[in-house]
Amino acid sequence: MQKIKKMQQQEYSKMFDLAQYAFQFENSAEYQKRFHYLAEHSINYGSFEGDDLASQVMLTPFDVNFFQKTHKMGGVGFVSSDPSFRGGGRIDAIMKELLKDCYEQGILFSYLAPFSYPFYRRYGYELLFERSSYRISHQDWPRVASPKGKVLRKDWQEAKASIAKIYAATMTQEEGCLLRETWWYEYKYQMKPGNYFALYYDEEAQVQGYLVYQMKAGVFTIVEWVYLTEAAYRGLHKYIASHADSVQEFFYERSANGQTPFFLNERPISQLSSRPDMMVKIVDIEAFLKVYPFEYLQTSFAIEIEEDSYSPWNTGIFEIHVQSNREVVIQKVVETSLPLMKTSIQRFTQLFLGYKSLEELVFYRFLVLEPGLENAISAIFPKKRPILEDYF
């Protein structure tokens, strides 16, 4: 008989064994230590058949930035099942309990990296992030003029404070990114083998940018490239170019937001590709609407979420009332006389978090709007696409 419980440290080895079997990553003491470290910072759901771990889901608490505010997010990872026990609805049962826990704990968002987009849509998740990949021959890496500052390679202990400071100064101006905690930096960089770190110092010896990279089998992989100034951009760009005689290819993948670090190049980058990345679920629509920036809203209206079977509190009609003092009041109702937008939880997420425009979703009939409502509410939606530079 199956039983769901939250697993503790004594079950971490079982968790690792199941995850390693499911994802076929390296089975080593180093990987096991990193996995256990993540489990220590997570809530770990397991479905058991007697003493056997049949299925598991890891939920890691994070903070994310949306609308220049910090919100709680639950990162879902290592969703895995032993094939001996598949077919019993175990992941469904875990996800139902996990989402209910998130709702009760005030966790507003949940992110995950899907093995199947259709599979996770059933739980109310939808694609929100994309990634752009650049492959550049060592002969074709663009040349830039050298700035007056310098780039120095550092070990993790020397680099970590500067990396955290610069990341916070840049990514917190974006939508959707993680507000990284100290433990996550250790997991992401220090505990992952093969990372090198380089810092750009300006003429006053102030760190203005950083580079995290790897070199393996003739490929220079840019893990993260962040800069506060144009000089820091050029300095790190030049530093990367200095490895052209040591490698055959440069590879850089970053969150796709319509921008590129190569737009100043004389020749466009020829090998550029994009791929879908992580999905997002808004756990609590009513709580989300209460923190959403409606300052440009001129007209009261209502939104109907057609169905969210794994988060039934999201199904229904939500009225957004603009008061005479410009305050916005959110109310869940059984029926409404206000102009109505009707959509799914998935398309609501893409619209209100900036991945898709109102016009596009209306065109493809993913939204049903009453006449005149599109023009009345078009100004309230984000114009900036969300980005994410982390994976779990």
Side-chain angles (χ1 to χ4, degrees):
M1 182 176 179
Q2 62 175 283
K3 178 181 68 174
I4 296 173
K5 70 174 185 177
K6 295 182 177 70
M7 295 179 285
Q8 305 300 321
Q9 188 173 11
Q10 61 268 25
E11 280 121 355
Y12 289 174
S13 292
K14 286 185 178 181
M15 291 174 59
F16 177 81
D17 290 343
L18 180 55
Q20 194 279 328
Y21 181 85
F23 297 101
Q24 292 295 295
F25 50 75
E26 183 179 327
N27 189 356
S28 66
E30 189 173 41
Y31 268 73
Q32 188 169 19
K33 179 180 178 181
R34 192 167 184 259
F35 181 90
H36 285 201
Y37 185 75
L38 181 61
E40 289 171 3
H41 290 87
S42 303
I43 304 165
N44 308 296
Y45 294 79
S47 176
F48 284 79
E49 190 74 27
D51 293 330
D52 295 321
L53 177 59
S55 298
Q56 66 182 1
V57 178
M58 185 180 288
L59 180 74
T60 308
F62 295 102
D63 288 331
V64 295
N65 182 67
F66 273 109
F67 325 127
Q68 303 302 303
K69 295 180 180 178
T70 299
H71 305 282
K72 292 181 180 180
M73 186 274 286
V76 172
F78 292 105
V79 179
S80 39
S81 293
D82 188 319
S84 303
F85 301 102
R86 279 183 182 154
R90 296 174 184 276
I91 297 299
D92 280 5
I94 290 175
M95 290 301 296
K96 187 173 288 187
E97 182 171 328
L98 179 153
L99 290 169
K100 183 174 181 289
D101 287 347
C102 287
Y103 174 68
E104 293 175 349
Q105 294 166 22
I107 296 174
L108 193 56
F109 302 100
S110 180
Y111 292 9
L112 59 78
F115 72 89
S116 165
Y117 291 89
F119 179 82
Y120 285 106
R121 285 193 181 105
R122 67 200 286 183
Y123 306 121
Y125 290 82
E126 188 49 81
L127 174 65
L128 197 76
F129 302 106
E130 294 181 6
R131 294 191 73 74
S132 294
S133 300
Y134 304 85
R135 288 192 179 276
I136 306 171
S137 165
H138 70 116
Q139 297 173 331
D140 295 331
W141 182 263
R143 300 298 188 257
V144 298
S146 299
K148 293 184 178 180
K150 61 183 178 181
V151 177
L152 297 177
R153 187 158 61 90
K154 300 288 184 178
D155 65 26
W156 171 242
Q157 295 302 322
E158 296 172 310
K160 63 181 181 180
S162 295
I163 288 175
K165 182 178 179 180
I166 293 169
Y167 174 88
T170 55
M171 293 301 169
T172 51
Q173 304 304 311
E174 301 292 343
E175 299 291 329
C177 60
L178 258 60
L179 305 181
R180 296 173 180 164
E181 297 183 42
T182 300
W183 78 265
W184 180 250
Y185 278 109
E186 297 291 330
Y187 174 82
K188 181 179 177 70
Y189 291 133
Q190 195 273 331
M191 299 184 75
K192 189 169 184 179
N195 283 330
Y196 294 101
F197 310 94
L199 304 178
Y200 171 81
Y201 295 82
D202 65 15
E203 294 176 273
E204 283 73 43
Q206 298 299 308
V207 180
Q208 300 290 352
Y210 70 85
L211 181 72
V212 183
Y213 62 100
Q214 296 197 356
M215 291 190 294
K216 186 177 181 181
V219 179
F220 186 108
T221 299
I222 300 169
V223 177
E224 194 159 272
W225 179 12
V226 183
Y227 38 85
L228 299 177
T229 64
E230 186 269 346
Y233 160 76
R234 284 192 290 123
L236 293 167
H237 198 299
K238 189 77 173 179
Y239 178 80
I240 297 168
S242 70
H243 294 79
D245 293 335
S246 304
V247 299
Q248 296 299 309
E249 181 181 74
F250 296 98
F251 176 74
Y252 180 32
E253 188 172 85
R254 57 177 283 173
S255 193
N257 63 350
Q259 300 179 11
T260 171
F262 303 113
F263 80 102
L264 294 176
N265 297 353
E266 292 183 5
R267 292 180 295 174
I269 301 299
S270 59
Q271 294 190 55
L272 167 62
S273 62
S274 295
R275 64 173 177 85
D277 194 33
M278 297 184 80
M279 304 177 84
V280 174
K281 177 183 174 69
I282 298 174
V283 175
D284 185 346
I285 292 291
E286 186 172 5
F288 172 83
L289 291 171
K290 288 179 179 179
V291 299
Y292 189 81
F294 282 111
E295 58 261 34
Y296 296 112
L297 182 62
Q298 304 291 326
T299 304
S300 298
F301 74 108
I303 300 169
E304 182 175 354
I305 303 298
E306 295 169 321
E307 183 183 14
D308 189 358
S309 57
Y310 285 84
S311 304
W313 51 86
N314 284 337
T315 304
I317 300 171
F318 301 86
E319 291 185 335
I320 298 96
H321 293 274
V322 181
Q323 307 293 297
S324 58
N325 61 357
R326 305 300 304 150
E327 182 183 353
V328 173
V329 175
I330 309 300
Q331 184 179 10
K332 189 172 186 181
V333 297
V334 175
E335 57 184 24
T336 185
S337 60
L338 293 176
L340 184 64
M341 168 197 292
K342 185 181 292 188
T343 190
S344 65
I345 179 66
Q346 291 88 355
R347 302 307 176 185
F348 176 94
T349 299
Q350 291 183 322
L351 175 63
F352 275 81
L353 296 182
Y355 179 71
K356 292 294 182 183
S357 69
L358 179 66
E359 295 76 15
E360 186 177 4
L361 293 176
V362 168
F363 180 84
Y364 289 108
R365 300 184 182 181
F366 289 123
L367 294 176
V368 177
L369 299 177
E370 293 190 6
L373 186 55
E374 182 174 349
N375 290 335
I377 65 174
S378 60
I380 70 173
F381 301 110
K383 301 300 186 288
K384 195 174 187 180
R385 288 184 65 172
I387 69 170
L388 180 66
E389 299 295 351
D390 293 277
Y391 183 88
F392 34 85

